[in-house]
């Protein structure tokens, strides 16, 4: 440790050294002393560092810097290898790249559409078989056997979904939208987009929805589309001998980010049959960076999804899809209802918006509490995860089968075109225990798939189909079941539970306002769903378009816009959107589009952390290897000193992954001289590209001999010669906005005046996190 301290002190002229957790090897005190001595009193923040050390004795483990989550390299390293590759690129290669981009967009849309169709086919047939079996036993008055079959099927399906998530891909549990949102913000979550996650997401979503849980397959479809895009954009795989030359253009995080954005849009388009809504969802909720070229590709991808779904809808219209009918792909068509509204109708809609905002914020609050509780249970192991899922499945089965017994038999209405009671697994009129000519309205909602229940609530010209007590009971059950179900170890979406609960209380309000409002109760159900969606998810434009594409009625546009704006405004006064809360709960260092108020009182140099390990332009191999072993940093400033420059100057930033490739290539020299064109001849730019699903070069893969430790290696050809820098006195709020808008992983902080070390420190996303800042400055209030 003494040798390391001396080495750091000798590097004092390279920049300010502060403490960072990954670099501490058991002697924080010695390193801190070396840090305080490293500036020789010249740096203006030295008294501040002394003050921090006195008030927080464990700087190294304070704040967000302890997070093991890595960031993504959206910035292209403009080093000499990259520039040479750009200069040598021919027109045919540029054409290949453009062609491949659009081909990938086509394939993402095609595969996501196929998966969406497969999910609907599977859910409709599995759920249909289960419901038909239950109805068959009910007609024979074998009520206990019917419950045993119903609950047994649900628990078996639920246990299978939980086992997949517990043993194969834990990252597949939940919606997946928060994880995709975090990835597109620059956070590289572990196994979020892995092939195993994709497999479990598809199969687990089918099993979970078929098990009768109050969950949807729409949220998981967004994650599925992102996984498909990630696999296609891996840039090939040496492990599986997929090393086609064209694929190398996508071996970077920037291209994968664009493809995954298209995949998220395709997932929404496949889930809701809403291509335009999918693009707007990616723009409003998922993506952190957007540009017009990406808009075109996303729109093309969702258009392909719509074509694929339309083709299979026609195919299923011939009756070749088993029990599968209109329930999965043709969503909720209410265009046949005429929409005319007056002042009292608008007042009712405003009330819906207020109710939706209150219920939505309460829903988010309760989901947050449940997730925190479930996380404690899930940490105890797979057995506890599966047991919790089975318990919730049993609870849901008891509610779905038991609550209809509290309903009464209602005579079938006259002048209807459908059979009453229904004899198949779907429809508005379920007989349950009722005699011929009667139906049970509670069973019509509970003993149906979620899509069928929403369709029943949205149905027009059926004002008295569901009694007020039925709507209240169903809303209470769905609201509570949706809260306790989200967070268990199965793939589960939030869209459908929210739409179900919102449609129910919307129809309930429509019944209560029937004397003063002329709007159909089915339209009230749609507006209620919109208000609840706005209150929970806090989206406006994308939700508005998705709902209009779902229902095929543009006449509702003004009312849907109004109710979404009101519900979002009301809910924002209580808490954040549900996906933002989940991102925070998972501890993901998400960069918001706006800076926090407390950042305005700080400047960039106030939060730089370290130790800042720098390399010389031509560095000793042993020093590089020592730094890689003793730190977890992924970026290192490269400094040129005399005689290679007139004064110490920052000449670039080199990445850990690039250093590992360079050291493995062993292009060393015994003298400290520039390598010249030798590195450019021995390496290609794609040798330093990011590895796909296979493993890249690791520190353990290096075989450096003792003699080579004293040799030198030139870092200039692989250093990013134009790293993004900010002056140390820049407002931290301004630096945070710049960091997010450009999509950086490292931001170099340089001194304001000359005659000082050429770099003060490096800012990463963890340095902008409130936990880190408030750990350094506990006296600062996080909010005004």
């Amino acid at each position: 440790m003494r040798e390391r301290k001396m080495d750091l002190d000798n590097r004092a002229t390279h920049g300010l050294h502060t403490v960072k957790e990954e670099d501490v090897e058991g002697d924080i005190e010695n390193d801190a002393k070396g840090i305080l001595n490293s500036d020789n009193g010249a740096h203006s923040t030295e008294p501040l560092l002394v003050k921090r050390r006195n008030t927080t004795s464990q700087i190294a483990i304070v704040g967000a810097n302890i997070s093991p989550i890595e960031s993504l390299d959206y910035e292209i390293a403009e080093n000499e290898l990259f520039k040479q590759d750009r200069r040598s690129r021919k027109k045919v290669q540029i054409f290949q790249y453009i062609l491949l981009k659009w081909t990938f967009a086509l394939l993402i849309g095609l595969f996501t559409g196929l998966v969406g169709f497969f999910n609907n086919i599977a859910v409709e047939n599995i759920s249909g078989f289960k419901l038909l079996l239950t109805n068959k036993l009910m007609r024979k008055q074998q009520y206990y056997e019917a419950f045993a079959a119903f609950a047994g099927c649900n628990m078996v399906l639920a246990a299978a979904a939980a086992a997949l998530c517990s043993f194969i891909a834990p990252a597949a549990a939940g919606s997946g939208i928060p994880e995709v949102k975090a990835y597109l913000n620059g956070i590289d979550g572990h196994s979020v987009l892995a092939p195993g996650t994709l497999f479990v997401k598809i199969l687990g979503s089918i099993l979970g929805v078929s098990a009768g849980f109050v969950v949807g397959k729409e949220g998981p479809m967004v994650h599925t589309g992102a996984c498909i895009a990630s696999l296609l954009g891996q840039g090939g795989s040496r492990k599986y001998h997929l090393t086609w030359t064209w694929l190398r253009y996508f071996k970077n995080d920037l291209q994968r980010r664009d493809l995954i954005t298209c995949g998220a849009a395709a997932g929404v388009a496949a889930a809701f049959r809403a291509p335009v809504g999918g693009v707007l969802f990616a723009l409003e909720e998922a993506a952190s960076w957007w540009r017009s070229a990406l808009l075109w590709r996303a729109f093309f991808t969702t258009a392909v999804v719509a074509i694929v779904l339309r083709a299979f809808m026609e195919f299923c219209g011939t009756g070749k899809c088993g029990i599968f009918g209109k329930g999965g792909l043709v969503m909720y068509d209410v265009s046949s209802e005429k929409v005319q509204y007056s002042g009292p109708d608008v007042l009712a809609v405003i009330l819906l918006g207020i109710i939706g905002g209150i219920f939505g914020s309460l829903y988010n609050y309760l989901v947050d509490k449940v997730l925190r509780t479930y996380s404690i249970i899930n940490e105890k192991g797979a057995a506890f995860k599966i047991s919790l899922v089975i318990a919730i499945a049993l609870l849901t089965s008891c509610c779905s089968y038991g609550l209809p017994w509290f309903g009464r038999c209602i005579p079938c209405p006259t002048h209807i075109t459908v059979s009453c009671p229904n004899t198949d697994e779907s429809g508005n009129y379920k007989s349950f225990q009722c005699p011929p000519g009667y139906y049970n309205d509670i069973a019509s909602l509970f003993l149906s798939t979620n899509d069928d229940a929403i369709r029943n609530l949205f149905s027009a010209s059926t004002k008295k189909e569901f009694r007020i007590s039925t709507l209240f009971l169903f809303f209470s059950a769905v609201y509570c079941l949706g809260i306790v179900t989200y967070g268990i170890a199965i793939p589960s979406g939030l869209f459908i539970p929210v739409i179900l609960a919102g449609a129910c209380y919307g129809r309930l309000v429509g019944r209560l306002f029937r004397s003063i409002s002329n709007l159909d109760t089915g339209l009230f159900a749609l507006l209620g769903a919109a208000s609840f969606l706005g209150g929970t998810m806090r989206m406006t434009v994308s939700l508005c378009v998705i709902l209009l594409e779902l229902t095929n009625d543009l006449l509702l546009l003004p009312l849907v816009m109004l109710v979404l704006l009101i519900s979002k405004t009301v809910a924002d006064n209580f808490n954040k959107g549900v996906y933002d809360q989940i991102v925070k709960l998972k501890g993901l260092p998400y960069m918001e589009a706006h800076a926090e108020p407390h950042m305005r009182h700080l400047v960039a140099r106030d939060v730089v952390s370290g130790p800042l390990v720098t390399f010389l332009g031509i560095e000793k191999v042993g020093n590089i290897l020592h730094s890689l072993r003793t730190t977890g940093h992924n970026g290192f400033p490269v400094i040129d000193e005399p005689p290679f420059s007139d004064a110490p100057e920052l000449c670039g930033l080199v990445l850990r992954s690039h250093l590992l490739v360079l050291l493995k290539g062993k292009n060393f020299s015994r003298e400290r001289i520039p390598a010249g064109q030798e590195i450019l001849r021995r390496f290609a730019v794609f040798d330093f590209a990011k590895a796909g699903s296979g493993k890249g070069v690791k520190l353990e893969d290096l075989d450096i001999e003792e003699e080579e430790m004293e040799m030198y290696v030139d870092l200039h050809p692989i250093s990013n010669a134009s790293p993004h820098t900010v002056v140390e006195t820049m407002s931290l709020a301004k630096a945070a906005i710049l960091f997010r808008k450009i999509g950086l992983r490292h931001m170099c902080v340089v001194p304001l005046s000359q005659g000082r070390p050429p770099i003060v420190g490096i800012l990463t996303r963890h340095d902008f996190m409130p936990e880190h800042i408030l750990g350094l400055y506990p006296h600062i209030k996080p909010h005004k």
Side-chain angles (χ1 to χ4, degrees):
M1 179 56 68
R2 179 175 296 178
E3 293 177 357
R4 181 185 169 204
K5 177 178 179 295
M6 292 176 61
D7 183 60
L8 288 176
D9 287 341
N10 291 334
R11 297 284 183 87
T13 58
H14 296 171
L16 174 68
H17 301 291
T18 52
V19 180
K20 203 167 189 175
E21 185 264 344
E22 305 97 280
D23 306 313
V24 178
E25 296 179 314
D27 201 344
I28 297 175
E29 190 68 25
N30 286 344
D31 275 353
K33 291 177 181 178
I35 293 160
L36 293 175
N37 293 333
S38 66
D39 236 0
N40 299 322
H43 199 281
S44 60
T45 61
E46 183 179 350
L48 185 60
L49 286 172
V50 175
K51 181 179 180 182
R52 290 183 202 167
R53 187 163 172 261
N54 292 335
T55 55
T56 55
S57 59
Q58 292 182 340
I59 300 174
I61 57 174
V62 169
N65 286 320
I66 63 173
S67 175
I69 299 172
E70 296 293 345
S71 297
L72 297 168
D73 288 307
Y74 288 152
E75 182 184 6
I76 299 296
E78 295 183 347
N79 51 42
E80 293 181 23
L81 285 169
F82 174 80
K83 294 176 182 177
Q84 183 190 49
D85 179 73
R86 274 293 176 91
R87 289 192 297 265
S88 62
R89 192 169 295 181
K90 300 177 182 178
K91 290 185 178 180
V92 64
Q93 293 176 315
I94 297 175
F95 174 76
Q96 290 174 353
Y97 166 68
I98 295 174
L99 178 63
L100 200 58
K101 279 202 306 184
W102 289 96
T103 302
F104 277 164
L106 173 67
L107 293 176
I108 292 169
L110 178 62
F111 291 142
T112 306
L114 290 173
V115 170
F117 169 74
F118 173 72
N119 282 2
N120 284 287
I121 286 279
V123 169
E124 290 285 328
N125 281 277
I126 296 174
S127 299
F129 171 80
K130 177 186 67 178
L131 294 174
L132 283 177
L133 176 61
T134 305
N135 290 339
K136 181 180 178 181
L137 295 172
M138 288 287 295
R139 286 196 296 268
K140 295 180 180 179
Q141 297 185 349
Q142 297 176 343
Y143 300 128
Y144 292 107
E145 291 84 348
F147 173 72
F150 181 72
C153 289
N154 286 343
M155 288 191 289
V156 169
L157 292 170
L164 288 173
C165 288
S166 300
F167 296 111
I168 299 179
S175 169
I177 293 179
E179 288 81 358
V180 173
K181 183 177 179 178
Y183 184 93
L184 294 177
N185 189 259
I187 301 169
D188 191 7
H190 179 66
S191 300
V192 170
L193 302 174
T197 304
L198 173 62
F199 169 76
V200 173
K201 201 74 178 186
I202 296 173
L203 190 55
S205 177
I206 293 171
L207 295 172
V209 176
S210 301
F213 286 116
V214 185
V215 298
K217 53 187 179 295
E218 285 70 20
M221 271 305 304
V222 176
H223 194 182
T224 299
C227 289
I228 292 171
S230 177
L231 289 179
L232 289 174
Q234 289 290 336
S237 172
R238 294 177 182 176
K239 179 179 178 181
Y240 298 106
H241 306 289
L242 299 175
T243 54
W244 191 29
T245 307
W246 288 20
L247 296 176
R248 70 181 189 270
Y249 298 124
F250 293 86
K251 279 188 169 293
N252 61 78
D253 290 324
L254 182 64
Q255 297 297 335
R256 292 180 194 173
R257 178 188 72 188
D258 291 350
L259 290 176
I260 289 168
T261 303
C262 294
V268 174
F272 293 109
R273 205 189 64 182
V276 180
V279 176
L280 293 175
F281 174 85
L283 169 61
E284 183 178 6
E285 181 66 15
S288 295
W289 297 278
W290 196 265
R291 60 185 190 279
S292 59
L294 182 58
L295 175 68
W296 302 339
R297 268 197 286 166
F299 186 72
F300 173 71
T301 305
T302 57
V304 173
V305 173
I307 293 172
V308 171
L309 292 181
R310 171 58 64 179
F312 281 103
M313 284 167 58
E314 298 295 335
F315 173 76
C316 288
T318 61
K320 298 180 180 179
C321 298
I323 303 174
F324 177 77
K326 292 184 178 180
L329 290 175
V330 179
M331 301 301 280
Y332 322 114
D333 194 345
V334 298
S335 59
S336 59
E337 183 65 26
K338 294 182 180 180
V339 181
Q340 294 179 346
Y341 44 89
S342 57
D345 299 325
V346 175
L347 291 177
V349 170
I350 292 174
L351 178 63
L352 265 182
I354 296 173
I355 294 174
I358 295 173
F359 279 148
S361 59
L362 178 61
Y363 192 89
N364 292 358
Y365 173 80
L366 294 175
V367 164
D368 181 75
K369 297 301 180 184
V370 168
L371 286 175
R372 293 178 186 275
T373 304
Y374 285 175
S375 65
I376 299 174
I377 299 174
N378 292 336
E379 286 176 356
K380 296 182 179 180
F384 286 88
K385 290 182 181 181
I386 298 174
S387 299
L388 178 61
V389 171
I390 294 176
I392 299 297
L394 181 60
L395 173 64
T396 305
S397 300
C398 291
C399 291
S400 299
Y401 188 84
L403 291 178
W405 289 98
F406 293 97
R408 58 176 183 160
C409 297
I410 303 174
C412 289
T414 57
H415 309 296
I416 57 174
T417 58
V418 296
S419 61
C420 178
N422 302 116
T423 56
D424 56 4
E425 86 287 351
S426 63
N428 289 34
Y429 306 101
K430 292 292 181 65
S431 61
F432 199 61
Q433 85 289 11
C434 297
Y438 290 82
Y439 74 97
N440 186 317
D441 58 343
I442 301 181
S444 299
L445 294 175
F446 277 107
L447 292 179
S448 299
T449 63
N450 292 332
D451 283 341
D452 283 330
I454 294 173
R455 189 170 296 102
N456 294 344
L457 291 169
F458 281 178
S459 59
S461 303
T462 54
K463 291 183 179 180
K464 297 183 179 180
E465 177 185 346
F466 302 106
R467 292 175 293 125
I468 292 178
S469 59
T470 297
L471 294 173
F472 182 79
L473 179 64
F474 185 71
F475 168 73
S476 302
V478 167
Y479 192 90
C480 296
L481 287 174
I483 291 170
V484 300
T485 303
Y486 194 79
I488 60 177
I490 62 169
S492 54
L494 278 172
F495 273 100
I496 290 300
V498 170
I499 291 176
L500 262 177
C504 193
Y505 79 70
R507 196 174 182 98
L508 181 60
V509 170
R511 288 291 302 274
L512 296 176
F513 278 79
R514 188 179 56 176
S515 59
I516 64 171
S517 176
N518 295 323
L519 286 179
D520 187 85
T521 52
L523 299 182
F524 266 107
L526 172 61
L527 294 173
S531 69
F532 203 11
L533 284 168
T536 54
M537 300 182 183
R538 313 297 163 80
M539 295 181 284
T540 52
V541 179
S542 56
L543 281 179
C544 182
V545 174
I546 288 172
L547 288 170
L548 293 179
E549 290 183 288
L550 274 177
T551 56
N552 194 25
D553 196 344
L554 282 174
L555 296 176
L556 281 174
L557 177 61
L559 296 181
V560 173
M561 292 173 63
L562 178 64
V563 79
L564 282 170
L565 289 171
I566 293 174
S567 62
K568 182 185 185 303
T569 303
V570 171
D572 281 339
N573 292 307
F574 298 100
N575 49 34
K576 290 186 175 182
V578 63
Y579 295 134
D580 293 325
Q581 287 190 172
I582 295 172
V583 166
K584 183 178 180 180
L585 188 63
K586 288 179 176 289
L588 301 175
Y590 187 85
M591 291 286 294
E592 297 288 350
H594 60 277
E596 295 292 337
H598 59 261
M599 292 184 179
R600 301 171 190 164
H601 307 294
L602 300 172
V603 294
R605 70 185 174 205
D606 292 336
V607 297
V608 290
S609 53
L612 179 64
V613 180
T614 64
F615 294 134
L616 298 175
I618 303 175
E619 185 59 270
K620 187 176 292 186
V621 173
N623 291 340
I624 298 176
L625 200 59
H626 174 78
S627 297
L628 293 178
R629 286 172 177 169
T630 57
T631 73
H633 297 328
N634 286 284
F636 302 89
V638 179
I639 308 295
D640 268 343
E641 291 185 340
F644 298 99
S645 62
D646 296 334
E649 62 180 19
L650 176 67
C651 65
L653 185 79
V654 65
L655 298 178
R656 168 184 287 266
S657 58
H658 293 182
L659 287 171
L660 292 173
V661 174
L662 184 66
L663 292 178
K664 190 174 183 179
K666 295 190 175 184
N667 189 44
F668 308 145
S669 62
R670 297 187 180 276
E671 303 295 331
R672 194 181 177 191
I673 55 175
Q677 299 295 317
E678 180 64 23
I679 290 183
L680 301 181
R681 285 192 293 266
R682 290 192 58 179
F683 293 97
V685 66
F686 295 108
D687 293 331
F688 297 89
K690 184 173 181 178
S693 57
K695 297 180 180 180
V697 180
K698 292 187 176 181
L699 192 61
E700 297 78 17
D701 299 331
L702 301 181
D703 184 20
I704 306 297
E705 299 178 0
E706 190 66 30
E707 180 183 359
E708 295 171 328
M709 299 286 281
E710 298 299 320
M711 301 178 73
Y712 294 90
V713 60
D714 188 2
L715 302 181
H716 292 97
I718 65 167
S719 298
N720 182 4
S722 56
H724 287 275
T725 61
V726 296
V727 69
E728 61 181 336
T729 54
M730 175 181 282
S731 164
L732 188 62
K734 190 175 181 180
I737 294 174
L738 185 66
F739 189 95
R740 186 187 189 275
K741 285 187 175 180
I742 301 177
L744 298 180
R745 185 177 187 180
H746 305 99
M747 175 182 280
C748 298
V749 182
V750 296
L752 178 64
S753 57
Q754 298 180 351
R756 294 171 51 193
I759 183 168
V760 175
I762 291 182
L763 292 176
T764 64
R765 68 172 52 241
H766 299 291
D767 297 313
F768 293 104
M769 293 297 107
E771 294 80 9
H772 171 63
I773 297 173
L774 298 177
L776 296 176
Y777 303 98
H779 61 280
I780 293 181
K781 295 181 180 180
H783 300 288
K784 284 190 175 181

